Amino acid sequence: MTKDFIALADFSGDQLAALIDRTIAEKPAYLAGDGARPLAGRTLAMVFEKPSLRTRVSFEVSMNQLGGSALYCDNSQIGIGTREAPADIARVLGRMCDGIMARTYKHELITELAAWSPGPIINGLSDYSHPCQAMADLTTVKEHFDDLKGRTLVFVGDGNNVARSLAVGCAKLGLRFILASPKGYELDNGFLERVLEEHPGADGALIRSPTKAVANADVIYADTWVSMGQEGQKERRVEAFLKYQINDELMAAAPDHAIVLHCLPAYRGYEITDEVFEAHAGTIFAEAENRLHFQRTLLAVLIGEGGIPD
Ligand code: CP
Ligand code: NVA
């Protein structure tokens, strides 16, 4: 059993596939309003160092749908590491709540909370990774194509937290992961090479040219060029990524069946044009909705069933 959900690297492809399949299987009952409510009386603490729409709402609604409740703890109030040590926060929340979802700058803060918390810790985005996002994305891909193995996902833009989680998720679930990033913004320190080496049969590459990268894409993926915490680098990032915009010209280089995903929030006119965004709004908002469906499964397993089975 694994009590936390911190990194996709901690799980096998079979474990991740089982979570996706369960999400898809249980979704209709919750959409109809008659899903199971196994977390009655249980509470999730949600600790945020950064802003959020989807993550906060999807975790809170998930807990409500499971019969429990969620509590928003904003860092301006709880002062992680300033008002109170992370180890103490984790132990207090561990005595009052049944799990903690944390969105942080430093990834190490999430692992520190996990070391001290008796209950599950869920990574709701760190500077390093965003595993719940990648799982909602892969759920969306599976729903759209009915399969995952052999599909090609092309991430166009910054080699960031979302790209890192998608690279690992794709390697575990048999998708080809292509990263199209400008020099200096690719996944750092040989991350992609290492992921490919560690997963026999995994396929992927860094392709500088976005038009070449999308040539065989099933999924074209966009995220902001300026992640939370990088606002001071906006000018130089926008300049570096100008040729990496997902626009009609890039879409013309992709197969007709390719879908577009965006983890949101979207900055139209930067990483994606308004035209492409609106043409693919169906998959993009299905993806956002799947944050709710995937995380509801995750909470039911972690809080209700004691962890993710081996
Ligand atoms: N995609 C995502 O995590 O959105 P929020 O930052 O709004 O939570
Ligand atoms: N890479 C983005 C994702 C936002 C959901 C960020 O970290 O700000």
Side-chain angles (χ1 to χ4, degrees):
M1 280 286 202
T2 307
K3 87 168 174 72
D4 305 310
F5 192 76
I6 296 176
L8 298 188
D10 298 339
F11 302 99
S12 68
D14 285 349
Q15 287 173 306
L16 299 181
L19 289 170
I20 289 174
D21 290 346
R22 180 166 165 181
T23 298
I24 294 171
E26 292 182 352
K27 186 168 162 176
Y30 285 97
L31 287 175
D34 58 5
R37 295 165 67 84
L39 300 191
R42 317 293 287 275
T43 307
L44 176 74
M46 307 190 295
V47 172
F48 280 90
E49 284 193 311
K50 295 172 173 172
S52 167
L53 172 69
R54 277 146 293 277
T55 302
R56 178 182 177 179
V57 174
S58 55
F59 272 104
E60 187 157 345
V61 174
S62 288
M63 284 303 291
N64 292 343
Q65 291 183 345
L66 291 164
S69 59
L71 189 69
Y72 179 62
C73 305
D74 184 74
N75 192 39
S76 66
Q77 295 302 303
I78 63 173
I80 309 166
T82 50
R83 184 171 185 271
E84 193 155 4
D88 298 352
I89 292 176
R91 283 178 287 183
V92 171
L93 292 178
R95 283 174 179 253
M96 298 182 184
C97 302
D98 300 282
I100 303 172
M101 189 286 301
R103 165 166 287 194
T104 65
Y105 286 96
K106 288 202 169 62
H107 187 73
E108 293 66 34
L109 176 54
I110 294 183
T111 51
E112 188 179 357
L113 292 171
W116 288 99
S117 166
I121 297 285
I122 299 171
N123 176 356
L125 179 148
S126 69
D127 281 355
Y128 189 72
S129 59
H130 198 1
C132 292
Q133 181 68 54
M135 288 297 281
D137 301 338
L138 293 166
T139 301
T140 312
V141 175
K142 175 122 196 215
E143 282 181 324
H144 185 85
F145 291 110
D146 270 337
D147 54 37
L148 290 172
K149 280 200 175 32
R151 295 284 166 190
T152 297
L153 186 148
V154 182
F155 187 102
V156 182
D158 188 20
N160 62 15
N161 44 6
V162 174
R164 224 174 260 115
S165 292
L166 282 168
V168 177
C170 287
K172 301 243 175 221
L173 290 162
L175 294 87
R176 184 162 192 247
F177 178 82
I178 305 286
L179 179 67
S181 297
K183 211 167 168 34
Y185 294 94
E186 56 281 275
L187 283 164
D188 44 336
N189 303 324
F191 180 88
L192 182 55
E193 293 73 8
R194 235 179 12 259
V195 167
L196 296 176
E197 266 170 37
E198 284 165 7
H199 297 88
D203 191 10
L206 168 69
I207 300 180
R208 293 273 179 223
S209 155
T211 44
K212 285 190 186 139
V214 300
N216 294 306
D218 296 298
V219 182
I220 299 176
Y221 199 103
D223 185 12
T224 181
W225 295 337
V226 186
S227 283
M228 291 178 275
Q230 298 174 334
E231 290 79 5
Q233 305 169 21
K234 182 172 176 187
E235 208 175 318
R236 78 166 156 86
R237 284 181 161 269
V238 167
E239 198 180 322
F241 286 108
L242 275 180
K243 294 198 180 109
Y244 290 79
Q245 183 184 64
I246 300 178
N247 52 30
D248 285 336
E249 198 186 325
L250 187 66
M251 291 308 293
D256 289 341
H257 72 266
I259 62 169
V260 174
L261 297 182
H262 192 312
C263 59
L264 303 175
Y267 298 90
R268 292 169 172 79
Y270 290 95
E271 74 273 5
I272 192 164
T273 59
D274 192 42
E275 291 75 19
V276 173
F277 185 94
E278 291 304 335
H280 293 271
T283 49
I284 292 170
F285 289 105
E287 172 193 12
E289 183 187 325
N290 275 333
R291 290 292 305 279
L292 166 68
H293 301 300
F294 169 69
Q295 289 157 201
R296 190 181 51 235
T297 301
L298 183 66
L299 290 164
V301 171
L302 292 183
I303 297 181
E305 297 163 23
I308 296 177
D310 295 333

